[in-house]
Amino acid sequence: MIVILSGGTGGAKLIEGLAAEVGAAELTIICNTGDDCVFHGLNVSPDIDTILYTLAGLSDSAKGWGIKGDTFAVLDQLRCLGNEAWFNLGDKDFATHITRTRLLREGCQLSEVTDRTRRSLGVQAKILPMSDAPVETRVTTLQGEISFQEFFVRERWSPHVTAVRFAGIEQSRPAPGVLDAIRAASAIIICPSNPISSIGPILAVPGIRHALNQATVPVVAVSPLIGAAAISGPAHKLMTAQGLEASAFGVAQSYREFVKTLVIAHEDQCLTERIQNLGIGVNTTEIRMPSLADKRRLACEVLALAQK
Ligand code: GDP
């Protein structure tokens, strides 16, 4: 069993490649829930849904979120009725959130809801939320503290950021199966996801970082940055706010206790020695994954490193 830590868009790309290479049934994905929000009274788990839709073959890979071919009639009508509607939710996507919200209100935990949903969609990989407890990534800007989605989607990640915190993290516990999966893994892969807002919350759930530190199997991570910028989104901005260098070296710093090998871009070859000095092996390659062939090639390289 291969255990994967993932956020949404960057994670989903590598996961699609891994599923194509080894079969989705071999994968257990521990997913960030720090971005979860309530919109229009409904519980939305954006990273879980991106992974679910990707593995179900439903995802809109051009956008990186949502269901391909989805329409937005419900959102348009919500807007007409005077609701704030800056977070895009498609009509079919609404069905996922309605189902999730109903099951949570009936007393199911998020892990059970996620498992039921992935079975309904025919997804063979196990998808585990990092925790069943609510954790909210909060971003401090010069205008005050806002949620991650307000920062990322509503403000298009333009405000200056001075800090990031995970509200509720101290009371959270790993969801059922998370620690067992890490202990039973044959390899552990950290996706090219935002190290602060996607992998950061997972590592901050009490017990998860410790379990990774104890792992005896190879842990391989892929950088989401080339040079001083993320391939997409605000990873570099959030890394700087948290006192990390905005580069693959900063990624290495945040995973240094448990990562055996970090996969970085060809362009970042110059960082190799500094990363190796942290005790981490380095593999340089093409880390962009625009096509399925790229996803599969990178997945193959990561799997080979994870078997060494
Ligand atoms: P989010 O919840 O949607 O932010 O999901 P992730 O954290 O999984 O994805 C965002 C990260 O994916 C960003 O930091 C990007 O730089 C990274 N990313 C996006 N596309 C690629 C790609 O093709 N290759 C790599 N290596 N990283 C990517």
Side-chain angles (χ1 to χ4, degrees):
M1 186 216 351
I2 298 170
V3 168
I4 302 169
L5 272 59
S6 179
T9 48
K13 289 186 188 179
L14 186 64
I15 288 168
E16 193 180 352
L18 289 165
E21 287 303 314
V22 296
E26 299 299 312
L27 310 179
T28 296
I29 301 152
I30 301 171
C31 213
N32 172 45
T33 57
D35 302 357
D36 290 14
C37 264
V38 174
F39 292 109
H40 315 293
L42 301 174
N43 295 81
V44 179
S45 295
D47 289 357
I48 287 177
D49 292 342
T50 297
I51 304 303
L52 275 171
Y53 297 155
T54 299
L55 289 172
L58 295 172
S59 70
D60 187 326
S61 48
K63 288 213 281 281
W65 52 266
I67 295 179
K68 67 183 162 211
D70 213 349
T71 49
F72 291 85
V74 172
L75 200 70
D76 288 343
Q77 191 64 14
L78 282 164
R79 209 174 272 123
C80 280
L81 294 174
N83 295 283
E84 266 193 55
W86 48 264
F87 193 84
N88 288 304
L89 296 165
D91 297 333
K92 288 183 182 171
D93 195 20
F94 263 110
T96 308
H97 314 313
I98 291 168
T99 307
R100 173 182 294 122
T101 305
R102 178 181 63 76
L103 290 169
L104 288 171
R105 285 194 191 150
E106 286 172 8
C108 288
Q109 297 296 317
L110 182 61
S111 48
E112 196 183 334
V113 175
T114 306
D115 200 55
R116 283 203 202 185
T117 313
R118 68 107 181 160
R119 284 172 196 272
S120 305
L121 294 175
V123 170
Q124 285 187 307
K126 283 213 180 90
I127 302 177
L128 307 174
M130 64 188 200
S131 179
D132 280 334
V135 172
E136 196 190 342
T137 301
R138 307 280 303 168
V139 179
T140 306
T141 70
L142 297 178
Q143 287 75 43
E145 199 182 58
I146 52 178
S147 75
F148 180 76
Q149 297 301 352
E150 286 167 332
F151 166 72
F152 185 54
V153 180
R154 193 188 67 197
E155 305 298 326
R156 294 164 205 244
W157 56 279
S158 65
H160 179 72
V161 179
T162 54
V164 179
R165 73 179 179 102
F166 310 125
I169 201 81
E170 294 84 4
Q171 298 81 46
S172 73
R173 294 292 167 265
V178 166
L179 297 181
D180 289 342
I182 294 172
R183 285 188 205 112
S186 58
I188 300 172
I189 296 170
I190 317 286
C191 282
S193 293
N194 189 319
I196 306 298
S197 63
S198 291
I199 304 298
I202 304 177
L203 298 178
V205 175
I208 295 188
R209 193 181 266 274
H210 178 73
L212 290 168
N213 291 348
Q214 302 291 305
T216 51
V217 297
V219 182
V220 179
V222 180
S223 172
L225 286 88
I226 302 180
I231 292 174
S232 62
H236 49 290
K237 202 166 190 175
L238 302 186
M239 289 171 79
T240 306
Q242 294 299 80
L244 285 171
E245 182 176 301
S247 73
F249 178 76
V251 177
Q253 280 180 310
S254 43
Y255 305 156
R256 67 184 295 176
E257 305 123 285
F258 53 82
V259 158
K260 178 173 176 255
T261 309
L262 180 65
V263 179
I264 67 171
H266 283 306
E267 295 91 328
D268 288 332
Q269 177 104 41
C270 53
L271 297 173
T272 301
E273 207 179 314
R274 289 177 67 213
I275 297 172
Q276 284 171 339
N277 287 340
L278 296 173
I280 297 173
V282 175
N283 189 79
T284 55
T285 187
E286 173 55 73
I287 64 163
R288 295 178 195 86
M289 294 174 278
S291 70
L292 180 59
D294 295 304
K295 292 168 191 167
R296 294 189 74 151
R297 179 200 39 79
L298 189 55
C300 266
E301 291 185 36
V302 168
L303 288 165
L305 293 165
Q307 272 150 22
K308 277 188 190 159

